[in-house]
Amino acid sequence: MKKKLQAYGIETSTGNSGVLEGNGIVAHFSWDGEANLLIEIQKRPLTTYCGQVSGKLRAFLRECQGY
């Protein structure tokens, strides 16, 4: 998943928790190593709505899961 994020221009911290950053968005993430991924958006451009970010993340996760 991290390699795919990098292809989209999103940099990630190493390990199972840290920071996602790219395209003006900064988020903290935490993954339990199994099924639970928590992403908290910390910063976003004023022209980007929370729903847009959420929708893009959900589409990305579905893509990674092969749906």
Side-chain angles (χ1 to χ4, degrees):
M1 188 181 293
K2 287 184 178 187
K3 287 180 184 179
K4 199 168 228 177
L5 283 169
Q6 288 175 346
Y8 283 104
I10 307 294
E11 296 299 319
T12 62
S13 300
T14 58
N16 289 352
S17 63
V19 176
L20 299 168
E21 187 170 359
N23 301 319
I25 296 171
V26 177
H28 292 144
F29 73 93
S30 178
W31 180 50
D32 68 1
E34 294 187 23
N36 297 303
L37 175 63
L38 174 65
I39 300 173
E40 294 180 17
I41 306 299
Q42 302 295 312
K43 182 179 171 185
R44 63 175 171 77
L46 292 176
T47 57
T48 303
Y49 297 99
C50 291
Q52 290 173 306
V53 176
S54 176
K56 294 277 185 181
L57 284 170
R58 288 172 195 224
F60 176 79
L61 292 171
R62 281 191 304 271
E63 184 180 314
C64 288
Q65 293 173 339
Y67 294 120

